[in-house]
Amino acid sequence: MLFASGGFEVKLYDIEQEQITNALENIRKELKMLEQSGSLKGSLSAEQQLSLISGCSNIAEAVEGAMHIQECVPENLDLKKKIFAQLDRIVDDRVVLSSSTSCLMPSMLFAGLVHVKQCIVAHPVNPPYYVPLVELVPHPETAPATMDRTHALMKKIGQSPVRVLKEIDGFVLNRLQYAIISEAWRLVEEGVVTPCDLDLVMSDGLGMRYAFIGPLETMHLNAEGFLNYCDRYSEGMNRVLKTFGPVPEFSRATVEKVHQAMRMKVPDDPRHLAARRQWRDDCLMRLAKLKSQLQPQ
């Protein structure tokens, strides 16, 4: 949907025809809904964007003439390596080979490929239509031109690409996310706060400003500049950070405690989970609209 919104022709490939058929039907519904709500991306109508998207059950036919290939199979290293080995045998020296993996290292993913210079991880954030960040993570042998081309393409379709300068386990987004989850887990496990109040600290506290500015700019603005913040608060931060415990073991008792709290808020049957995800996506859509209207001073 994002690539089509930028005016690009898109071919969907899967080993199961039913997956392609269902995807095309879901895309049709989504684009029509987005158009009706005034949230459709790009300058083309929903019908024009739909006409750019087609399905294909033959991988060689799907990638013929492609400038960019985005792999989105499940997060399984062997499966992904199998797909890229297949692609490596049939692509030319110009196409970018990109993976959507959220945490698999490019050095493992693209090891031994002839076209390794054309390979890159372009990790989108779920749901990517409303959350524009894309982490670009190179293999040690990825050509600078591959990074530049992928960055330009993501910008063209309205995403916010960031260049991860070298590969690291978990990339950047998940390392930050796991740091938050780790401390959240310890606070709940040690009885400091309830699971629901913990989530409130993020949704009605940190998350409110982090939706517009990051932690480093927050520091910059919460004092007379970044240097002043560090002079004022580094000692206190250091003291608190030393009280952080080891990496949680995610004990069953705490899993059950959090699970029960989440079920009270959102029952974990398919109907309630789907409704809550739809509500989340609607909120993200409105937030994305608001952010587009609020240009920095």
Side-chain angles (χ1 to χ4, degrees):
M1 287 164 60
L2 284 166
F3 288 120
S5 76
F8 292 100
E9 184 183 349
V10 181
K11 287 184 182 176
L12 298 178
Y13 164 76
D14 196 274
I15 55 172
E16 292 184 19
Q17 181 59 46
E18 187 182 1
Q19 287 282 77
I20 300 170
T21 304
N22 290 343
L24 291 171
E25 182 54 34
N26 287 335
I27 288 169
R28 173 176 292 279
K29 288 177 184 173
E30 285 283 321
L31 289 177
K32 291 291 187 185
M33 181 272 290
L34 288 163
E35 188 170 53
Q36 287 167 7
S37 66
S39 303
L40 186 69
K41 290 178 180 280
S43 58
L44 301 175
S45 69
E47 278 301 329
Q48 287 171 319
Q49 292 185 30
L50 279 167
S51 70
L52 292 171
I53 306 172
S54 60
C56 191
S57 56
N58 179 292
I59 193 168
E61 190 182 317
V63 303
E64 186 180 358
M67 58 174 282
H68 180 94
I69 297 168
Q70 188 77 24
E71 165 274 311
C72 304
V73 302
E75 198 75 345
N76 177 297
L77 179 60
D78 290 338
L79 176 59
K80 287 182 184 286
K81 287 184 74 167
K82 181 182 172 185
I83 294 280
F84 280 106
Q86 257 185 301
L87 291 168
D88 198 38
R89 292 191 291 268
I90 58 177
V91 298
D92 58 27
D93 295 333
R94 296 184 299 275
V95 66
V96 169
L97 296 169
S98 174
S99 175
S100 295
T101 181
S102 60
C103 61
L104 295 175
M105 303 273 270
S107 56
M108 295 191 297
L109 205 51
F110 307 130
L113 297 183
V114 173
H115 296 88
V116 66
K117 290 182 178 180
Q118 299 157 234
C119 294
I120 193 167
V121 166
H123 169 225
V125 184
N126 190 44
Y129 202 88
Y130 309 119
V131 183
L133 184 78
V134 183
E135 293 182 291
L136 303 183
V137 191
H139 181 280
E141 295 178 56
T142 297
T146 300
M147 173 70 86
D148 292 343
R149 283 178 58 195
T150 310
H151 190 278
L153 176 62
M154 294 302 160
K155 291 282 283 186
K156 183 170 173 57
I157 62 172
Q159 300 302 86
S160 300
V162 295
R163 299 172 191 258
V164 180
L165 302 179
K166 58 183 180 180
E167 67 171 17
I168 185 171
D169 201 4
F171 312 150
V172 176
L173 183 138
N174 274 326
R175 289 181 76 89
L176 290 172
Q177 179 169 242
Y178 295 164
I180 292 169
I181 289 172
S182 178
E183 183 56 20
W185 195 271
R186 284 191 294 263
L187 290 168
V188 170
E189 191 161 65
E190 293 170 12
V192 175
V193 68
T194 66
C196 289
D197 277 355
L198 185 287
D199 273 359
L200 206 59
V201 169
M202 182 59 70
S203 64
D204 283 14
L206 289 174
M208 295 285 284
R209 58 190 179 199
Y210 283 177
F212 299 93
I213 58 173
L216 302 180
E217 188 179 347
T218 295
M219 293 165 71
H220 188 59
L221 298 181
N222 279 1
E224 304 310 311
F226 192 80
L227 288 176
N228 183 252
Y229 186 97
C230 292
D231 288 342
R232 281 195 207 175
Y233 302 117
S234 58
E235 188 179 328
M237 284 193 293
N238 195 265
R239 187 191 72 248
V240 173
L241 286 167
K242 284 178 178 175
T243 69
F244 281 33
V247 174
E249 294 182 4
F250 300 103
S251 67
R252 194 68 199 172
T254 308
V255 169
E256 285 298 331
K257 182 179 180 179
V258 176
H259 176 59
Q260 291 305 323
M262 293 302 102
R263 284 186 67 203
M264 289 289 289
K265 191 173 185 179
V266 185
D268 59 353
D269 60 273
R271 183 172 65 84
H272 282 93
L273 288 172
R276 186 65 169 176
R277 289 188 196 108
Q278 186 60 57
W279 174 83
R280 174 203 66 187
D281 290 355
D282 289 344
C283 290
L284 287 169
M285 180 169 62
R286 292 178 190 181
L287 179 60
K289 251 186 188 176
L290 176 63
K291 287 189 70 168
S292 71
Q293 294 162 6
L294 297 174
Q295 296 301 321
Q297 295 284 317

